[in-house]
Amino acid sequence: MTKNTLKKYRRKRDFKNTEEPEDGNGKGKTIFVIQKHDASTLHYDFRLSIDGALASWAVPKGLSTKAGEKQLAVRTEDHPMDYADFEGVIPEDQYGGGTVMVWDRGEYKPIAENKDHDKTMADALEDGALKFTLEGEKLKGGYALVRMDRKSKQEQWLIFKLDDEHADARRNPVSTEPDSVLTNRSLKEIAEEEDEKDNA
């Protein structure tokens, strides 16, 4: 992945009319962010930093903490690293128009399948199978992303919790912890405060 991976992201946006970041340098960082996005439908955008950009998937139902429970994850365009801190409202006439919240964030560590093989996360992404450990504020432990259909233009993946000490079928943070880890605001509060700021 290189800066060229952001061409699709930039092509879809008018940065004169949206506060979304245009760029962001984060080479070497291993962070993840999950943004709750109330666009045409409410969903969660899961992003992993790989080679200086945020590889991204739209997860309609959010990530589960129950071991083995699979959720659909549709690959979207890579986002710039600065997007990890973006929280606000994308204008309705812009791509992805709606309210965005930083629902969870933290660092991640790749899970090596074979210690003798120096496989990068970029390699794993290309191969369609990633395993990693999340160290977030809401989500922790191992997760896997697996691509389902290589023939489809819109990449469909599955994301699921690995069976470890952080797996817990009784937890449902999507429902019980709905607010921002960045500002403790709800989606409604973010939208209202952005509207007040625009009308000030």
Side-chain angles (χ1 to χ4, degrees):
M1 293 171 67
T2 67
K3 276 204 168 184
N4 290 333
T5 65
L6 298 179
K7 284 183 177 179
K8 187 175 181 181
Y9 168 84
R10 295 191 186 104
R11 191 168 61 243
K12 289 184 173 184
R13 289 161 175 84
D14 180 358
F15 294 103
K16 293 178 181 177
N17 293 310
T18 179
E19 293 183 1
E20 296 169 280
E22 188 171 356
D23 211 341
N25 181 24
K27 191 79 171 179
K29 290 184 180 179
T30 52
I31 63 168
F32 83 94
V33 64
I34 301 172
Q35 283 159 313
K36 192 173 179 179
H37 189 178
D38 189 11
S40 54
T41 58
L42 180 66
H43 65 278
Y44 294 78
D45 293 311
F46 178 69
R47 313 189 198 282
L48 285 175
S49 63
I50 300 177
D51 284 0
L54 292 170
S56 301
W57 293 261
V59 185
K61 294 184 178 179
L63 279 68
S64 175
T65 55
K66 180 180 178 181
E69 184 170 271
K70 298 177 176 67
Q71 302 289 3
L72 175 67
V74 180
R75 181 86 188 276
T76 61
E77 72 275 12
D78 294 343
H79 283 52
M81 290 294 293
D82 285 354
Y83 210 95
D85 296 320
F86 176 71
E87 185 168 276
V89 177
I90 302 169
E92 291 297 332
D93 62 347
Q94 297 295 305
Y95 175 78
T99 308
V100 178
M101 166 201 294
V102 178
W103 184 79
D104 197 15
R105 65 177 181 173
E107 296 186 354
Y108 79 89
K109 294 180 180 178
I111 297 175
E113 293 291 344
N114 182 348
K115 292 181 180 179
D116 296 327
H117 180 55
D118 189 23
K119 190 175 190 178
T120 67
M121 284 294 281
D123 293 333
L125 181 63
E126 180 65 27
D127 290 346
L130 304 95
K131 286 186 179 180
F132 43 85
T133 300
L134 300 181
E135 287 293 338
E137 296 184 42
K138 295 177 181 177
L139 299 181
K140 297 183 184 296
Y143 280 83
L145 263 166
V146 180
R147 185 170 177 180
M148 291 191 290
D149 182 7
R150 289 194 166 275
K151 295 179 182 179
S152 174
K153 286 185 178 181
Q154 189 175 34
E155 297 181 25
Q156 295 196 344
W157 297 58
L158 294 173
I159 189 166
F160 57 92
K161 180 79 188 71
L162 300 179
D163 192 2
D164 58 22
E165 67 272 20
H166 295 291
D168 188 349
R170 297 166 298 178
R171 280 191 72 209
N172 185 12
V174 167
S175 295
T176 61
E177 301 175 60
D179 296 339
S180 166
V181 296
L182 194 63
T183 60
N184 294 316
R185 297 182 295 175
S186 67
L187 282 170
K188 183 179 179 182
E189 287 170 332
I190 293 169
E192 288 175 347
E193 288 178 24
E194 289 296 317
D195 186 53
E196 287 175 8
K197 187 171 70 175
D198 289 342
N199 293 323

